[in-house]
């Protein structure tokens, strides 16, 4: 049974990767280096904390749900991470719950809210050091992609605001501009990120051995190991150990209090799921109030 479940998870990861690559929209550099690119994780790599959590915070300030709801989700994320329960079964259950709440929301509304909330809440949480690294790749004519479990619509907003090429993110199924409550494949998390990068490389003609990838989490080892130049940014203990063992560059932009604060809003799959549930609840309440 475990073999079947593992194979199913692998297939879902492949589907998620293909969907993310298909949904990616590129902005071509003026003088492009056609074969090289840089891939950046978002949560705690490009941005302090989890982007979807910050999105939920922005919804809370609009009165779409209560701050106590937000607190519960934040605590839930922390407990989930500390217990080490980030396995496919638990993520699948939480994912389905989140998607059930999001069903019926309009894509345009999510994009509009994402733009507003990025400007209000997220822009000040971008790591200056990581942003400079991304700009250095752009200055060399290389494309720069975000790779994140965050919904692709929100990931695109972040990429656009930062002037990057585009974003690979979790793709939710839509029909006539409305979310159906299903994913295309699975969350773009762990192995699915690597699958998305492979699919994008095939589409864009990239040589992955000439590409660079940046992440803070050992969950992203599949993505980091895929490229010729992996770099650990603000790494967790497992990734730091792995990077030292394999002589990967390590860059840490955290200092004192910031290092403590970034540990609470969870990155990767769990953060996207828990924050997605919070955002989903808010959007459902919003639609009910406007249609009631």
């Amino acid at each position: 049974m475990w073999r079947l479940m593992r194979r199913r998870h692998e297939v879902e990861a492949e589907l998620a990767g293909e969907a993310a690559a298909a949904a990616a929209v590129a902005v071509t550099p003026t003088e492009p280096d056609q074969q090289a690119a840089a891939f950046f994780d978002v949560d705690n790599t490009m941005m302090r904390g989890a982007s979807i959590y910050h999105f939920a915070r922005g919804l809370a300030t609009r009165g779409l749900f209560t701050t106590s709801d937000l607190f519960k989700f934040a605590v839930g994320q922390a407990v989930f991470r500390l217990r080490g329960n980030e396995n496919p079964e638990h993520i699948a259950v939480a994912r389905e719950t989140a998607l059930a709440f999001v069903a019926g929301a309009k894509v345009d509304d999510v994009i509009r809210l994402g733009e507003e909330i990025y400007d209000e809440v997220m822009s000040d949480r971008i790591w200056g050091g990581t942003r400079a690294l991304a700009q250095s790749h752009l200055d060399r004519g290389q494309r720069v992609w975000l790779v994140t479990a965050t919904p692709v619509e929100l990931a695109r907003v972040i990429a656009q605001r930062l002037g990057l090429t585009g974003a690979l993110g979790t793709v939710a199924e839509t029909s006539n501009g409305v979310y159906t409550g299903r994913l295309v494949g699975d969350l773009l998390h762990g192995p699915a990120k690597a699958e998305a990068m492979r699919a994008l490389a095939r589409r864009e003609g990239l040589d992955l051995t000439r590409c660079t990838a940046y992440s803070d989490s050992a969950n992203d080892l599949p993505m980091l190991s895929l490229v010729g130049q992996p770099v650990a940014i603000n790494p967790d203990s497992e990734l730091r150990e792995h990077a030292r063992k394999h002589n990967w560059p390590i860059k840490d932009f955290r200092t004192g209090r910031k290092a403590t604060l970034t540990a609470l809003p969870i990155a990767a799959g769990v953060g996207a799921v828990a924050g997605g549930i919070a955002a989903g609840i808010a959007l459902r309440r919003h639609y009910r109030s406007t249609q009631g």
Side-chain angles (χ1 to χ4, degrees), residues 17-251:
E18 292 286 350
V25 179
V27 178
T28 304
T30 304
E31 297 180 5
D33 181 341
Q34 296 289 352
Q35 291 187 307
F39 298 91
F40 285 80
D41 171 53
V42 173
D43 298 343
N44 289 326
T45 302
M46 181 63 74
M47 177 184 298
R48 295 195 299 274
S51 51
I52 195 69
Y53 175 80
H54 295 316
F55 181 61
R57 280 188 60 197
L59 294 175
T61 63
R62 287 161 170 74
L64 297 181
F65 67 110
T66 68
T67 52
S68 63
D69 288 332
L70 185 64
F71 177 75
K72 291 175 184 177
F73 288 118
V75 171
Q77 291 181 56
V79 171
F80 211 161
R81 178 67 170 264
L82 291 172
R83 288 180 178 176
N85 286 335
E86 193 169 342
N87 66 46
E89 283 186 273
H90 293 150
I91 290 178
V93 171
R95 176 197 64 190
E96 296 304 324
T97 303
L99 290 170
F101 280 118
V102 174
K106 295 180 180 178
V107 176
D108 288 345
D109 287 345
V110 171
I111 294 173
R112 174 180 55 80
L113 287 167
E115 292 172 340
E116 293 176 4
I117 293 170
Y118 176 87
D119 294 338
E120 295 171 8
V121 179
M122 300 183 194
S123 60
D124 291 339
R125 290 172 170 78
I126 298 298
W127 293 107
T130 310
R131 178 67 186 87
L133 288 171
Q135 188 60 50
S136 71
H137 287 282
L138 293 172
D139 291 343
R140 297 198 297 272
Q142 297 178 4
R143 287 162 282 186
V144 177
W145 295 86
L146 298 180
V147 188
T148 175
T150 292
V152 67
E153 291 81 10
L154 182 56
R156 283 176 184 158
V157 168
I158 298 171
Q160 289 167 0
R161 288 295 196 264
L162 293 175
L164 307 181
T165 307
L168 298 166
T170 296
V171 178
E173 183 183 83
T174 63
S175 178
N176 298 319
V178 175
Y179 293 105
T180 66
R182 294 184 293 272
L183 286 184
V184 179
D186 206 340
L187 291 168
L188 199 71
H189 171 61
K193 287 187 177 183
E195 292 295 341
M197 290 164 58
R198 286 191 185 95
L200 187 72
R202 289 193 296 269
R203 192 188 82 180
E204 299 289 314
L206 298 173
D207 178 355
L208 288 171
T209 65
R210 294 193 57 225
C211 292
T212 310
Y214 301 84
S215 179
D216 72 298
S217 174
N219 290 320
D220 285 338
L221 283 173
M223 146 183 176
L224 292 168
S225 301
L226 187 63
V227 299
Q229 293 84 40
V231 181
I233 300 284
N234 307 326
D236 60 27
S237 58
E238 184 179 348
L239 178 58
R240 184 180 294 275
E241 181 179 354
H242 186 94
R244 285 174 175 168
K245 181 178 179 180
H246 292 83
N247 295 317
W248 292 355
I250 299 174
K251 298 182 182 295

